[in-house]
mmCIF file of all heavy atoms in Angstrom:
data_model
loop_
_atom_site.group_PDB
_atom_site.id
_atom_site.type_symbol
_atom_site.label_atom_id
_atom_site.label_comp_id
_atom_site.label_asym_id
_atom_site.label_seq_id
_atom_site.Cartn_x
_atom_site.Cartn_y
_atom_site.Cartn_z
ATOM 1 N N GLY X 34 32.572 10.038 -17.765
ATOM 2 C CA GLY X 34 31.251 9.760 -17.814
ATOM 3 C C GLY X 34 30.163 10.996 -17.838
ATOM 4 O O GLY X 34 28.994 10.819 -17.935
ATOM 5 N N SER X 35 30.710 12.197 -17.700
ATOM 6 C CA SER X 35 29.831 13.485 -17.708
ATOM 7 C C SER X 35 29.404 13.630 -19.229
ATOM 8 O O SER X 35 30.040 13.265 -20.138
ATOM 9 C CB SER X 35 30.764 14.639 -17.252
ATOM 10 O OG SER X 35 31.211 14.415 -16.033
ATOM 11 N N LYS X 36 28.288 14.302 -19.201
ATOM 12 C CA LYS X 36 27.622 14.565 -20.527
ATOM 13 C C LYS X 36 28.222 15.814 -21.039
ATOM 14 O O LYS X 36 28.097 16.942 -20.445
ATOM 15 C CB LYS X 36 26.142 14.724 -20.326
ATOM 16 C CG LYS X 36 25.287 13.404 -19.932
ATOM 17 C CD LYS X 36 23.910 13.595 -19.849
ATOM 18 C CE LYS X 36 23.153 12.227 -19.559
ATOM 19 N NZ LYS X 36 21.713 12.417 -19.576
ATOM 20 N N VAL X 37 28.800 15.804 -22.239
ATOM 21 C CA VAL X 37 29.353 17.075 -22.875
ATOM 22 C C VAL X 37 28.791 17.165 -24.295
ATOM 23 O O VAL X 37 29.457 17.638 -25.177
ATOM 24 C CB VAL X 37 30.901 16.844 -22.923
ATOM 25 C CG1 VAL X 37 31.518 16.873 -21.527
ATOM 26 C CG2 VAL X 37 31.293 15.549 -23.652
ATOM 27 N N GLY X 38 27.476 16.887 -24.508
ATOM 28 C CA GLY X 38 26.954 17.141 -25.715
ATOM 29 C C GLY X 38 26.648 18.642 -25.765
ATOM 30 O O GLY X 38 26.774 19.518 -24.877
ATOM 31 N N ILE X 39 26.135 19.073 -27.032
ATOM 32 C CA ILE X 39 26.087 20.463 -27.323
ATOM 33 C C ILE X 39 24.950 21.243 -26.327
ATOM 34 O O ILE X 39 25.083 22.161 -25.702
ATOM 35 C CB ILE X 39 25.616 20.797 -28.766
ATOM 36 C CG1 ILE X 39 26.935 20.405 -29.505
ATOM 37 C CG2 ILE X 39 25.260 22.173 -29.082
ATOM 38 C CD1 ILE X 39 26.552 20.350 -31.143
ATOM 39 N N LYS X 40 23.777 20.382 -26.252
ATOM 40 C CA LYS X 40 22.734 20.908 -25.484
ATOM 41 C C LYS X 40 23.031 20.919 -24.051
ATOM 42 O O LYS X 40 22.730 21.797 -23.324
ATOM 43 C CB LYS X 40 21.460 20.022 -25.657
ATOM 44 C CG LYS X 40 20.887 20.156 -27.120
ATOM 45 C CD LYS X 40 19.557 19.444 -27.231
ATOM 46 C CE LYS X 40 18.954 19.551 -28.578
ATOM 47 N NZ LYS X 40 18.646 20.967 -28.918
ATOM 48 N N ASP X 41 23.791 19.925 -23.549
ATOM 49 C CA ASP X 41 24.220 19.916 -22.017
ATOM 50 C C ASP X 41 25.154 20.974 -21.775
ATOM 51 O O ASP X 41 25.013 21.679 -20.720
ATOM 52 C CB ASP X 41 24.929 18.515 -21.811
ATOM 53 C CG ASP X 41 24.062 17.343 -22.012
ATOM 54 O OD1 ASP X 41 22.988 17.250 -21.616
ATOM 55 O OD2 ASP X 41 24.448 16.407 -22.947
ATOM 56 N N LEU X 42 26.182 21.387 -22.644
ATOM 57 C CA LEU X 42 27.034 22.479 -22.228
ATOM 58 C C LEU X 42 26.372 23.738 -22.562
ATOM 59 O O LEU X 42 26.638 24.727 -21.778
ATOM 60 C CB LEU X 42 28.333 22.304 -23.301
ATOM 61 C CG LEU X 42 29.160 21.133 -23.148
ATOM 62 C CD1 LEU X 42 30.185 21.013 -24.233
ATOM 63 C CD2 LEU X 42 29.912 21.301 -21.824
ATOM 64 N N ALA X 43 25.569 23.892 -23.603
ATOM 65 C CA ALA X 43 24.922 25.271 -23.693
ATOM 66 C C ALA X 43 23.820 25.554 -22.521
ATOM 67 O O ALA X 43 23.616 26.741 -22.190
ATOM 68 C CB ALA X 43 24.022 25.228 -24.917
ATOM 69 N N ALA X 44 23.357 24.530 -21.798
ATOM 70 C CA ALA X 44 22.550 24.766 -20.633
ATOM 71 C C ALA X 44 23.333 25.251 -19.396
ATOM 72 O O ALA X 44 22.740 25.951 -18.561
ATOM 73 C CB ALA X 44 21.773 23.367 -20.201
ATOM 74 N N LYS X 45 24.698 25.220 -19.498
ATOM 75 C CA LYS X 45 25.479 25.596 -18.396
ATOM 76 C C LYS X 45 25.923 27.055 -18.547
ATOM 77 O O LYS X 45 26.362 27.767 -17.546
ATOM 78 C CB LYS X 45 26.663 24.658 -18.191
ATOM 79 C CG LYS X 45 26.399 23.340 -17.718
ATOM 80 C CD LYS X 45 27.653 22.433 -17.560
ATOM 81 C CE LYS X 45 27.274 21.004 -17.135
ATOM 82 N NZ LYS X 45 28.512 20.351 -16.898
ATOM 83 N N PHE X 46 26.159 27.448 -19.864
ATOM 84 C CA PHE X 46 26.808 28.684 -20.163
ATOM 85 C C PHE X 46 25.966 29.576 -21.031
ATOM 86 O O PHE X 46 25.086 29.082 -21.673
ATOM 87 C CB PHE X 46 28.190 28.451 -20.778
ATOM 88 C CG PHE X 46 29.147 27.487 -20.096
ATOM 89 C CD1 PHE X 46 29.277 26.123 -20.460
ATOM 90 C CD2 PHE X 46 29.831 28.052 -18.998
ATOM 91 C CE1 PHE X 46 30.137 25.366 -19.674
ATOM 92 C CE2 PHE X 46 30.599 27.199 -18.241
ATOM 93 C CZ PHE X 46 30.719 25.848 -18.614
ATOM 94 N N PRO X 47 26.275 30.883 -21.025
ATOM 95 C CA PRO X 47 25.340 31.786 -21.805
ATOM 96 C C PRO X 47 25.721 31.849 -23.332
ATOM 97 O O PRO X 47 25.092 32.557 -24.070
ATOM 98 C CB PRO X 47 25.493 33.191 -21.169
ATOM 99 C CG PRO X 47 27.032 33.100 -20.692
ATOM 100 C CD PRO X 47 27.157 31.629 -20.196
ATOM 101 N N GLU X 48 26.841 31.078 -23.804
ATOM 102 C CA GLU X 48 27.168 31.249 -25.183
ATOM 103 C C GLU X 48 26.110 30.827 -26.203
ATOM 104 O O GLU X 48 26.106 31.165 -27.287
ATOM 105 C CB GLU X 48 28.444 30.621 -25.374
ATOM 106 C CG GLU X 48 29.732 31.337 -25.000
ATOM 107 C CD GLU X 48 29.967 31.484 -23.518
ATOM 108 O OE1 GLU X 48 29.066 30.798 -22.719
ATOM 109 O OE2 GLU X 48 30.703 32.208 -23.066
ATOM 110 N N GLY X 49 25.350 29.851 -25.788
ATOM 111 C CA GLY X 49 24.298 29.200 -26.662
ATOM 112 C C GLY X 49 24.987 28.086 -27.483
ATOM 113 O O GLY X 49 26.071 27.770 -27.623
ATOM 114 N N GLU X 50 24.011 27.304 -28.069
ATOM 115 C CA GLU X 50 24.275 26.089 -28.795
ATOM 116 C C GLU X 50 25.183 26.448 -30.167
ATOM 117 O O GLU X 50 26.102 25.553 -30.405
ATOM 118 C CB GLU X 50 23.083 25.339 -29.318
ATOM 119 C CG GLU X 50 22.218 24.848 -28.155
ATOM 120 C CD GLU X 50 21.121 24.031 -28.654
ATOM 121 O OE1 GLU X 50 20.948 23.568 -29.770
ATOM 122 O OE2 GLU X 50 20.231 23.767 -27.726
#
Side-chain angles (χ1 to χ4, degrees):
S35 299
K36 295 183 178 181
V37 290
I39 296 175
K40 294 185 179 295
D41 301 303
L42 294 171
K45 297 180 179 180
F46 304 102
E48 277 71 12
E50 295 185 9

